[in-house]
Amino acid sequence: MGATAVIGAQWGDEAKGKIVHHLCRRARMCVRFNGGANAGHTVEDGRGTVRLHLVPCGALHPGCQGVIGHGVTVDPWVLADELGGILAQGRSHPELLLSERAHLVLPHHRLLEEREGTAQRIGTTRRGVGPCYTDRAARRGLRLADLIDERQVREHLRAASRVAGGGFDPEQVVEDLLRFRDRFAAHIGDARAAIAGALERGEEVVFEGAQGTLLDLDCGTYPYVTSSTTTVHGIGWGTGVPTARVERVVGVTKAYTTRVGEGPFPTEEGGEIGERLRAEGGEYGATTGRPRRCGWLDLVALRYAHAVNAFTDLALTKLDVLSGLREIRVAVDYRIEGQRVTGFPPRAEDLARAEPVYEVLRGWEEDIAGIRDYEALPSAARRFVRFVEAQVGVPVTFIGTGPGEEAIIVRRRG
Ligand code: IMP
């Protein structure tokens, strides 16, 4: 089946991990191309719940290699911890390949994120990801390939310590990095060539996006965004493999909307509805534990995400969370200062003033948790799905009906 991309269509946390895990049952490779340990992908399978930050979700399947492309910022301490957690659950060691061109997140990146105030202003995940991408763009970063040269590593850390004004022991960090290099030596290499080779052999490759389209550095709600390319375009950017090789682009959206951190969110519901969605959906950040802001599904934003990514399929997740609501609202347009707006405004200031124009759909009482057959959904739930399809112009191929890996409806192909 070639290459499939799984892309967040909202502000992240769309339950991409579940969809990726499902799609990787038969895949040879699962590739991360953007973000870093700011991502939090939750997978719930027969062995328990795992929260992954750097290890690609598909790599939990034996036979599926987890590949970390050069667009990913790699925090070696987080990666080592994460692998420890996976092994502690009795799982086998995931097969991993890390791009030698990927940049390292170092202790001064986290310190700078706090000191420069970005953490507070944007409401970041405080993982040092933004400052690491800053160093990369400023051409002063340290890459996995550089770990080969001990002297360079030592000089880099001494300079970083001076820039950060202390706060960590550079010699200890050098020691940790060299230990990491020795442990992972066999897993650091040419990820681009490995992905290209798999595609050449006709093997199935799944690209796992982190964060979502509305957090993209350029296409998102700037400046309240992350520092990487979170859209389908991030595949070429973050792996060196042409994005044109991707045949299928699955956009993942929840049946409602959430956001963590600062920034505009037109359909946010502060009151009872927001609290209910948070409680029913377990809407707390997988990386930071922060309560997520919750609100109705926003089709203006979803149509925009489709325009950016050209989705071939949609995955509509967490549909079960809407059960029991008498009516369900869906934003179909915005109104900004009395004017009806159908497009997604480029300025956060304008988006902050946008009032959603809602279409009100009938809800359903039935508990739909764990349903796997589309026809078994209540008619009001099917009407909701059809409404989304018609508004966005993309078929809903996957529907999430609960947190477990089995709680999924797969329509047509998949
Ligand atoms: P950073 O990526 O830590 O720099 O944070 C920038 C913005 O992206 C903040 O609003 C974060 O809450 C948000 N963000 C980063 N990663 C994720 C994610 O995986 N899910 C949801 N939001 C995220």
Side-chain angles (χ1 to χ4, degrees):
M1 177 53 234
T4 300
V6 177
I7 303 292
Q10 300 172 304
W11 280 289
D13 307 321
E14 300 92 348
K16 295 180 289 298
K18 180 193 172 95
I19 303 299
V20 170
H21 188 67
H22 174 83
L23 286 170
C24 283
R25 285 162 310 153
R26 289 183 303 266
R28 173 66 196 110
M29 228 177 230
C30 179
V31 184
R32 278 279 306 271
F33 55 87
N34 76 300
N38 51 354
H41 291 173
T42 309
V43 174
E44 235 177 275
D45 61 10
R47 286 179 179 269
T49 305
V50 211
R51 282 201 173 149
L52 301 174
H53 300 288
L54 280 167
V55 173
C57 290
L60 294 178
H61 293 292
C64 181
Q65 183 181 34
V67 178
I68 294 187
H70 62 233
V72 176
T73 53
V74 177
D75 183 324
W77 294 272
V78 171
L79 183 60
D81 269 6
E82 201 167 300
L83 288 169
I86 292 172
L87 298 180
Q89 279 192 332
R91 298 170 190 267
S92 50
H93 199 296
E95 196 189 328
L96 282 184
L97 174 62
L98 316 179
S99 168
E100 57 208 0
R101 292 173 181 271
H103 282 248
L104 286 157
V105 178
L106 299 169
H108 68 286
H109 291 135
R110 287 194 192 216
L111 291 172
L112 290 176
E113 191 167 356
E114 297 298 329
R115 286 194 200 148
E116 288 169 356
T118 329
Q120 298 76 10
R121 187 167 50 88
I122 309 292
T124 68
T125 59
R126 301 179 135 93
R127 294 295 182 272
V129 168
C132 180
Y133 280 122
T134 302
D135 276 356
R136 170 180 182 258
R139 290 148 293 173
R140 54 173 186 237
L142 190 71
R143 303 182 307 165
L144 288 170
D146 302 324
L147 294 177
I148 197 88
D149 183 345
E150 194 171 327
R151 215 178 56 176
Q152 183 187 351
V153 175
R154 186 157 279 115
E155 276 169 16
H156 191 96
L157 265 299
R158 284 185 186 149
S161 166
R162 280 194 297 278
V163 170
F168 66 94
D169 174 4
E171 296 307 321
Q172 180 61 51
V173 173
V174 172
E175 214 173 282
D176 287 357
L177 288 174
L178 297 180
R179 204 170 323 118
F180 173 83
R181 173 195 73 184
D182 294 342
R183 175 175 170 197
F184 285 91
H187 303 281
I188 298 174
D190 190 344
R192 186 208 57 77
I195 304 163
L199 288 171
E200 214 50 56
R201 291 189 295 276
E203 292 171 355
E204 233 177 282
V205 174
V206 174
F207 291 95
E208 174 183 6
Q211 292 87 41
T213 299
L214 307 180
L215 285 173
D216 182 85
L217 180 58
D218 296 296
C219 297
T221 50
Y222 191 89
Y224 302 101
V225 291
T226 192
S227 314
S228 71
T229 302
T230 62
T231 58
V232 73
H233 312 290
I235 292 172
W237 169 89
T239 67
V241 173
T243 306
R245 301 297 301 268
V246 176
E247 292 164 16
R248 190 180 187 192
V249 185
V250 181
V252 189
T253 173
K254 279 193 250 213
Y256 49 98
T257 309
T258 63
R259 171 162 210 176
V260 268
E262 302 302 316
F265 177 179
T267 61
E268 182 169 15
E269 284 286 323
E272 201 187 308
I273 291 289
E275 264 163 42
R276 186 193 165 123
L277 292 171
R278 188 173 310 115
E280 295 287 321
E283 297 296 352
Y284 294 89
T287 300
T288 58
R290 287 181 288 180
R292 294 178 184 145
R293 299 157 64 190
C294 298
W296 299 114
L297 183 63
D298 182 344
L299 291 175
V300 184
L302 195 54
R303 289 192 305 252
Y304 170 67
H306 173 45
V308 169
N309 294 287
F311 298 134
T312 58
D313 304 74
L314 282 177
L316 186 65
T317 58
K318 295 191 148 187
L319 186 63
D320 55 306
V321 173
L322 297 184
S323 294
L325 288 169
R326 209 162 40 83
E327 52 181 44
I328 295 168
R329 288 172 177 251
V330 187
V332 289
D333 282 325
Y334 296 147
R335 216 184 287 282
I336 302 179
E337 287 184 348
Q339 299 270 52
R340 194 125 170 180
V341 173
T342 50
F344 197 70
R347 298 187 72 237
E349 291 80 357
D350 290 332
L351 194 61
R353 287 183 296 151
E355 290 164 34
V357 176
Y358 283 118
E359 188 91 16
V360 182
L361 306 185
R362 194 157 53 79
W364 58 92
E365 277 303 319
E366 297 89 331
D367 180 10
I368 62 167
I371 285 186
R372 306 197 55 186
D373 173 14
Y374 181 69
E375 297 306 323
L377 286 177
S379 60
R382 278 183 278 143
R383 200 165 313 125
F384 176 81
V385 174
R386 284 200 304 270
F387 187 79
V388 173
E389 285 183 322
Q391 280 276 331
V392 187
V394 180
V396 172
T397 306
F398 306 94
I399 300 170
T401 55
E405 63 172 344
E406 300 297 327
I408 189 168
I409 296 170
V410 182
R411 296 166 78 202
R412 295 180 281 268
R413 54 198 189 136

